[in-house]
Amino acid sequence: MKITFDGRALCGNLTGIGYFTKNLVLPLSKHFEISLCAHKNFYIPKDFKGKILIGPETLGSLWFHIFFPRLVEDDILFCPLNAKPYKTKKKSITIIQDLTPFLFPKWHKLKIRITTLPFLEETILNSCIITLSNKIKREIQNYFQKKNVFVIPPGCNVFNRETKWEREKLEDEFFLYLGTIEPRKNLEFLIEFWKEKKNLPNLYIAGDKGWKVKLKKIPNNVKIIGYVSEEEKYFLLRKCLALIYPSSYEGFGLPLLEAGLEGTPIISTKVPATEEYKIKSLILINLNFKSLKKAIEVVLKGKIRKEKSYILSWEEVALKYKEVIDWYIKS
């Protein structure tokens, strides 16, 4: 069976779904013939052996609903961005990353809301649905009464390449936030904490700009790094005292897997990644200053050690996808 893979998440700087797409499409292409497609030029994963289809260049959502299903005949459509092409008769596999556009629409730009919400119910009811966590599965079944929902958690591969840092010099000790800058990540909460606790090691905020968060009045002990490459990301993860992840809601939480595989201590709210995988060097917090202060003290006093966690590789994850796809072909 052949698969046409929506590659729009590979356009521009790679963030969560972009890394998800990149890391899944390579091992999956060992089991299926894959055409990787987008409406404009996109990042092509190294060693990808399938077809590359680009264009016609138009609005991404317009391309997805009109042109994407017609690019290759008879292929199953693989859609990692929460929706399938509207009313398509072709078989489609859709990844529901999370239900935030439905549950918390104010967390998203108008563009995301109008390109997701009108198509969500039709997608869920008429597509093979795979999601990343049991939490999202329960939400899908609760709100849309969908019986067959498959859960396949994301994976993480060991980063064996050389890490590097060629920007301004970093402090010897620092805490790290890693992820897109958007409302549910609670960066204002972190900044206010560091503003109050002036004697703490620096907090470095690494991640691409999202929306609706304007970080103002940044104290001297908080540094905004911006978007980082993979080499830079792993440099930071290996050097930091701990990764801090104070998110209100996650479909999963990929940075936690990357930190867990490295053995980097993690301070996090309770999100699916902390439940689906048994991450070892983990301190769970509530979203308040008292809880965060206690967790930071544990790290600074050396009461949590670096211990690597077992995380599924993307090759193992791809085998789980193969099982679902094989079932879907026969159904």
Side-chain angles (χ1 to χ4, degrees), residues 253-294:
L254 284 175
L256 300 180
L257 301 191
E258 295 163 339
L261 196 58
E262 289 290 328
T264 303
I266 298 167
I267 298 171
S268 175
T269 49
K270 191 176 182 181
V271 297
T274 66
E275 299 177 294
E276 308 276 325
Y277 281 110
K278 294 180 180 178
I279 296 175
K280 294 179 179 178
S281 298
L282 170 69
I283 307 171
L284 288 175
I285 61 169
N286 297 316
L287 204 57
N288 60 61
F289 280 11
K290 181 179 179 181
S291 184
L292 178 57
K293 180 176 181 291
K294 185 176 179 181

Side-chain angles (χ1 to χ4, degrees), residues 36 92-93 97 102 116-117 127 161 183 214-215 225 231 256 279 282 285 289-290 320:
L36 186 55
S92 59
I93 296 168
Q97 304 282 346
F102 175 74
T116 302
L117 291 178
S127 184
R161 302 200 304 273
K214 295 182 179 179
L215 302 179
I225 295 176
E231 290 81 4
L256 300 180
I279 296 175
L282 170 69
I285 61 169
F289 280 11
K290 181 179 179 181
K320 293 179 180 292

Side-chain angles (χ1 to χ4, degrees), residues 185-284:
K185 306 296 187 176
N186 295 309
L187 287 177
E188 295 98 331
F189 163 80
L190 276 187
I191 289 170
E192 285 302 316
F193 181 85
W194 250 261
K195 191 181 295 184
E196 183 177 301
K197 312 294 181 183
K198 300 184 185 302
N199 294 325
L200 287 178
N202 283 352
L203 169 67
Y204 288 99
I205 295 176
D208 208 8
K209 291 181 180 178
W211 79 293
K212 207 177 179 179
V213 176
K214 295 182 179 179
L215 302 179
K216 299 179 179 179
K217 298 181 179 179
I218 308 297
N220 291 333
N221 56 355
V222 175
K223 309 295 181 182
I224 309 296
I225 295 176
Y227 184 80
V228 292
S229 67
E230 277 203 284
E231 290 81 4
E232 292 172 327
K233 174 174 65 178
Y234 279 95
F235 180 92
L236 293 169
L237 283 172
R238 290 169 182 175
K239 186 174 173 59
C240 70
L241 292 167
L243 174 72
I244 303 183
Y245 204 76
S247 182
S248 297
Y249 178 104
E250 289 293 329
F252 202 82
L254 284 175
L256 300 180
L257 301 191
E258 295 163 339
L261 196 58
E262 289 290 328
T264 303
I266 298 167
I267 298 171
S268 175
T269 49
K270 191 176 182 181
V271 297
T274 66
E275 299 177 294
E276 308 276 325
Y277 281 110
K278 294 180 180 178
I279 296 175
K280 294 179 179 178
S281 298
L282 170 69
I283 307 171
L284 288 175

Side-chain angles (χ1 to χ4, degrees), residues 164-195:
K164 59 184 179 181
W165 188 261
E166 297 175 349
R167 307 194 199 189
E168 68 280 2
K169 185 179 178 181
L170 301 173
E171 299 293 326
D172 291 333
E173 293 188 334
F174 62 89
F175 289 90
L176 176 67
Y177 165 84
L178 179 64
T180 304
I181 297 174
E182 56 183 331
R184 62 174 162 161
K185 306 296 187 176
N186 295 309
L187 287 177
E188 295 98 331
F189 163 80
L190 276 187
I191 289 170
E192 285 302 316
F193 181 85
W194 250 261
K195 191 181 295 184

Side-chain angles (χ1 to χ4, degrees), residues 51-195:
K51 293 181 181 178
I52 302 295
L53 302 174
I54 300 174
E57 188 166 347
T58 182
L59 292 174
S61 57
L62 183 66
W63 171 89
F64 177 68
H65 290 287
I66 295 177
F67 297 103
F68 173 61
R70 302 175 184 175
L71 290 175
V72 183
E73 292 185 5
D74 301 324
D75 281 17
I76 287 179
L77 304 178
F78 197 102
C79 313
L81 287 167
N82 285 358
K84 73 173 186 67
Y86 186 61
K87 296 290 186 180
T88 181
K89 294 180 180 180
K90 298 181 75 170
K91 281 196 166 188
S92 59
I93 296 168
T94 305
I95 311 301
I96 302 295
Q97 304 282 346
D98 60 52
L99 288 181
T100 51
F102 175 74
L103 296 175
F104 308 103
K106 291 184 179 179
W107 285 356
H108 291 277
K109 295 178 181 179
L110 178 62
K111 175 185 174 182
I112 298 297
R113 300 201 297 269
I114 64 176
T115 56
T116 302
L117 291 178
F119 311 105
L120 188 58
E121 184 172 14
E122 198 264 336
T123 291
I124 289 173
L125 298 181
N126 297 293
S127 184
C128 175
I129 299 298
I130 302 176
T131 191
L132 309 187
S133 67
N134 286 301
K135 173 185 177 180
I136 306 304
K137 175 181 178 177
R138 290 191 295 269
E139 291 176 349
I140 292 169
Q141 292 179 327
N142 181 38
Y143 290 104
F144 298 97
Q145 286 72 56
K146 176 78 171 183
K147 290 184 179 180
N148 287 331
V149 178
F150 298 93
V151 176
I152 304 177
C156 188
N157 290 345
V158 175
F159 190 82
N160 289 321
R161 302 200 304 273
E162 182 183 353
T163 64
K164 59 184 179 181
W165 188 261
E166 297 175 349
R167 307 194 199 189
E168 68 280 2
K169 185 179 178 181
L170 301 173
E171 299 293 326
D172 291 333
E173 293 188 334
F174 62 89
F175 289 90
L176 176 67
Y177 165 84
L178 179 64
T180 304
I181 297 174
E182 56 183 331
R184 62 174 162 161
K185 306 296 187 176
N186 295 309
L187 287 177
E188 295 98 331
F189 163 80
L190 276 187
I191 289 170
E192 285 302 316
F193 181 85
W194 250 261
K195 191 181 295 184

